[in-house]
Amino acid sequence: MLPNNEVDSAWQAYQITLDCLKIASHAVFKNDMALLNKTSFFGSPHQTAHNQIEASRRDADDYVILAMWAAFERTLLGAVQAESQRMLAGTPGDLAIAVHGKMAHEIEYWRIDDVLNLFKVIIDPHLIGQTKQVKQYRDWVAHRNLKKGSPQMVLPQTAYRILAEMLRQLPA
Amino acid sequence: MDTILSPAPFLTHVNSLFAEIETWLRTAGLKILKTDIEINEEDYGSYHAPKITVLSPAGTELAEITPVGASILGANGRVDMQGFADKIILLDMAAGGPSRNNSASAGKSEATTRPLFRGIDSAGWYWVENRISNKAHKLNSELFFDLLAEVADYAPQQ
């Protein structure tokens, strides 16, 4: 399947990463020296190699959330920029040009929750709410406060389904 | 003030799942080792949950089945099964599973609700395919041993 957007690209890269980790696990378990030669696993105790691969898998689950969110956020802001560009259609007045200029300059600094709220007029608020939960989990992954306990967790495949659906419903 | 919820329903479901898995494993001649873990979640605080390790008849560790938490977007709980080769995730789903509305603005008619994952007809533990398909499969003995083969490359002797 070819990626349709950057969220798809991140998702597909994650799938490949999982496959690579699976191959590495098999190679370690089966002592496949042809595959392990010239890798850091060569000469490691089985358990150490296994733990390293398991940790990498956990990291991959986190990184794909960060990567998909970054791609999604760029596309979302692009959609708002495109919408604001439409203000200049026809013969815009000086005020419209000034408002557009300020929006274009400052949009990168808007709170993402506020940006998402703008889309409630065209996208189901429930989906917007789910998207905010993905963001909340993304923030926890990025800044992890272990004392506080984990917030509502979001599986990579759930995040992918939600963000892909949001992109599908964004105006072209 | 934030209210701490009770993880009791999640733990009840985990215990039911583990009782079923234990039956399947014993029927197949496999052993289990039960231990206890601590989970810390923002919504539920810190609590203890059971964890099981699946052992071959010779006592070799095949997989660990570990509760991860009750606060999961789109599910009522999560349990991971980790073997040497891979990890799979089991989700405790309500009937129908998580959904999304497929229309634009509320009130602009023709709103259709579509499930996020297909195949969640009744409440229970499900494995969701991680690829292009968004199909969820309800856990039963046959699927459990397929998943065990996936994570641990192990098939019990028939």
Side-chain angles (χ1 to χ4, degrees):
Chain A
M1 186 181 73
L2 289 172
N4 289 322
N5 53 57
E6 288 184 50
V7 171
D8 280 350
S9 299
W11 177 248
Q12 288 177 26
Y14 167 68
Q15 302 291 341
I16 299 297
T17 302
L18 295 193
D19 283 344
C20 292
L21 291 171
K22 203 167 170 178
I23 291 167
S25 291
H26 278 278
V28 167
F29 187 72
K30 295 180 191 303
N31 275 324
D32 189 330
M33 292 306 161
L35 285 174
L36 295 174
N37 191 23
K38 295 182 183 172
T39 72
S40 60
F41 299 125
F42 192 82
S44 294
H46 264 124
Q47 193 57 46
T48 306
H50 175 73
N51 291 347
Q52 287 170 334
I53 294 168
E54 202 176 309
S56 295
R57 166 68 203 259
R58 281 195 300 274
D59 287 346
D61 287 351
D62 286 349
Y63 296 156
V64 71
I65 299 274
L66 298 175
M68 286 193 299
W69 183 265
F72 170 76
E73 193 175 79
R74 273 197 304 277
T75 309
L76 187 75
L77 293 177
V80 178
Q81 294 275 21
E83 204 58 39
S84 78
Q85 194 67 32
R86 292 193 181 104
M87 291 170 67
L88 301 181
T91 316
D94 290 343
L95 181 60
I97 293 169
V99 169
H100 171 266
K102 186 164 176 61
M103 276 180 67
H105 178 68
E106 294 182 357
I107 196 167
E108 297 277 340
Y109 305 103
W110 288 2
R111 287 180 63 244
I112 201 70
D113 276 11
D114 293 337
V115 176
L116 285 168
N117 285 340
L118 290 175
F119 287 90
K120 280 183 177 171
V121 290
I122 57 164
I123 295 177
D124 171 46
H126 180 61
L127 182 60
I128 302 271
Q130 289 176 323
T131 307
K132 287 179 184 177
Q133 285 172 302
V134 174
K135 170 65 165 58
Q136 203 179 3
Y137 185 65
R138 176 260 165 227
D139 290 347
W140 185 80
V141 165
H143 307 295
R144 211 174 284 267
N145 178 356
L146 293 175
K147 280 184 196 160
K148 216 177 160 194
S150 70
Q152 187 172 55
M153 275 174 269
V154 182
L155 264 57
Q157 56 262 61
T158 309
Y160 172 65
R161 298 274 161 217
I162 290 169
L163 299 182
E165 182 64 22
M166 276 291 291
L167 291 187
R168 203 182 65 77
Q169 294 194 28
L170 284 181
Chain B
M1 197 178 93
D2 292 342
T3 307
I4 295 288
L5 304 168
S6 166
F10 169 61
L11 292 173
T12 302
H13 291 183
V14 168
N15 284 322
S16 303
L17 171 71
F18 282 6
E20 264 193 316
I21 289 175
E22 190 172 348
T23 306
W24 298 334
L25 289 171
R26 289 202 191 288
T27 306
L30 298 175
K31 300 172 186 171
I32 66 161
L33 178 69
K34 281 185 182 167
T35 48
D36 187 77
I37 58 160
E38 188 176 351
I39 297 172
N40 185 13
E41 297 183 271
E42 201 172 58
D43 288 343
Y44 297 91
S46 182
Y47 59 95
H48 287 262
K51 168 186 163 177
I52 56 179
T53 304
V54 181
L55 305 170
S56 72
T60 309
E61 189 177 315
L62 297 175
E64 289 183 334
I65 307 178
T66 312
V68 174
S71 186
I72 310 291
L73 181 61
N76 299 323
R78 167 179 166 181
V79 165
D80 286 1
M81 179 152 70
Q82 173 82 57
F84 85 87
D86 207 353
K87 176 178 81 175
I88 63 95
I89 293 169
L90 298 172
L91 295 173
D92 181 16
M93 300 282 207
S99 63
R100 62 192 179 212
N101 283 359
N102 213 21
S103 88
S105 54
K108 275 196 178 174
S109 75
E110 64 200 63
T112 53
T113 299
R114 284 198 303 164
L116 216 53
F117 302 112
R118 294 182 293 117
I120 306 174
D121 303 323
S122 57
W125 288 95
Y126 283 81
W127 168 66
V128 180
E129 289 177 20
N130 199 20
R131 297 282 161 165
I132 298 163
S133 159
N134 58 346
K135 180 103 172 69
H137 302 265
K138 192 165 192 181
L139 192 69
N140 56 29
S141 170
E142 188 185 356
L143 176 60
F144 175 78
F145 285 109
D146 284 348
L147 296 174
L148 184 63
E150 185 73 14
V151 302
D153 202 12
Y154 181 87
Q157 302 294 317
Q158 295 300 315

